[in-house]
Amino acid sequence: QQQVKQSPQSLIVQKGGISIINCAYENTAFDYFPWYQQFPGKGPALLIAIRPDVSEKKEGRFTISFNKSAKQFSLHIMDSQPGDSATYFCAASLNSGYSTLTFGKGTMLLVSP
Amino acid sequence: NAGVTQTPKFRVLKTGQSMTLLCAQDMNHEYMYWYRQDPGMGLRLIHYSVGEGTTAKGEVPDGYNVSRLKKQNFLLGLESAAPSQTSVYFCASSYSAGGTSYEQYFGPGTRLTVT
């Protein structure tokens, strides 16, 4: 049973455009939603995270939008740059320091120059 | 700070051989994790540990064993490798006592091929 569904699998965006990646979760007990960014040949690294007490969190060009009633959250990358080309994973967990993360299957983003 | 390191970076095994992957972290993190990453499958949790001497099964534990004898090290063992275990393996760690971050820090990965 896949608890976090991510779409699309791949995405091509022109430089300067907006990249949007969506995730949906099933477990209503989840209350921590991070996004990880992975460059080829590297391990994933935390990009931005949100808790369900807010509907949006912005860090620079990266924004998470959260819809608790729909059990959906999304990553928006504004003014996308070629350096943003990477694989992005959404994830969800319970609000605990040792709670395990459930990852989506990933979205491969290519930003064309 | 080296963060999370993994040894080896690459390995080729024949079916039935055994090996141990080593993960080390220097951030005094309590929790450590082993994931495998396969194309189109995302990151799947194999085993994890919430402290020295403790381990627990994740989503895909079959065929793997782990040990956490020291807080800074987390070992992943394959007793009898199978081609289905060809994958990229990532170790991660998180949470320092007294901290508030749940961020998981990942190592650079080990690419394992089983022929």
Side-chain angles (χ1 to χ4, degrees):
Chain A
Q1 182 186 6
Q2 187 186 356
Q3 296 197 55
V4 178
K5 294 185 178 180
Q6 183 172 348
S7 62
Q9 281 188 317
S10 62
L11 182 62
I12 300 175
V13 174
Q14 289 209 333
K15 179 181 175 181
I18 303 174
S19 304
I20 302 175
I21 304 170
N22 300 299
C23 283
Y25 62 97
E26 298 171 3
N27 187 345
T28 56
F30 286 150
D31 55 6
Y32 173 66
F33 303 91
W35 285 88
Y36 280 76
Q37 180 188 54
Q38 183 182 29
F39 293 106
K42 305 292 185 183
L46 180 66
L47 181 64
I48 187 173
I50 196 168
R51 300 193 191 282
D53 53 344
V54 297
S55 60
E56 185 175 283
K57 183 174 182 179
K58 184 175 181 179
E59 291 184 1
R61 295 185 293 108
F62 300 89
T63 300
I64 299 179
S65 297
F66 184 81
N67 185 330
K68 187 173 182 178
S69 61
K71 294 188 289 184
Q72 295 176 346
F73 59 110
S74 59
L75 176 69
H76 295 237
I77 306 174
M78 310 300 289
D79 187 25
S80 298
Q81 298 297 311
D84 297 329
S85 297
T87 299
Y88 293 81
F89 294 96
C90 63
S93 79
L94 302 175
N95 190 12
S96 166
Y98 62 84
S99 180
T100 59
L101 284 171
T102 299
F103 283 90
K105 293 189 175 182
T107 297
M108 192 176 300
L109 171 66
L110 176 63
V111 181
S112 59
Chain B
N1 265 1
V4 179
T5 58
Q6 293 183 232
T7 308
K9 288 184 169 51
F10 303 93
R11 185 73 186 269
V12 178
L13 285 180
K14 294 185 176 180
T15 298
Q17 287 185 320
S18 63
M19 77 163 294
T20 300
L21 282 67
L22 171 64
C23 176
Q25 52 93 5
D26 61 2
M27 297 174 281
N28 200 34
H29 282 163
E30 297 293 327
Y31 312 126
M32 298 187 74
Y33 315 82
W34 276 108
Y35 294 91
R36 61 177 289 172
Q37 183 175 24
D38 304 290
M41 298 297 292
L43 291 153
R44 293 182 292 170
L45 184 65
I46 303 171
H47 286 280
Y48 64 101
S49 168
V50 300
E52 183 178 316
T54 71
T55 63
K57 294 180 180 180
E59 179 186 356
V60 289
D62 294 343
Y64 305 95
N65 56 75
V66 288
S67 64
R68 183 105 180 262
L69 299 180
K70 293 183 179 181
K71 184 177 183 179
Q72 64 267 36
N73 295 338
F74 195 28
L75 278 62
L76 177 71
L78 287 73
E79 290 186 347
S80 179
S84 61
Q85 294 177 305
T86 294
S87 187
V88 180
Y89 292 86
F90 287 100
C91 176
S93 69
S94 69
Y95 188 71
S96 299
T100 58
S101 171
Y102 303 146
E103 176 178 357
Q104 289 191 15
Y105 293 80
F106 283 79
T110 295
R111 184 174 294 275
L112 175 66
T113 301
V114 183
T115 62

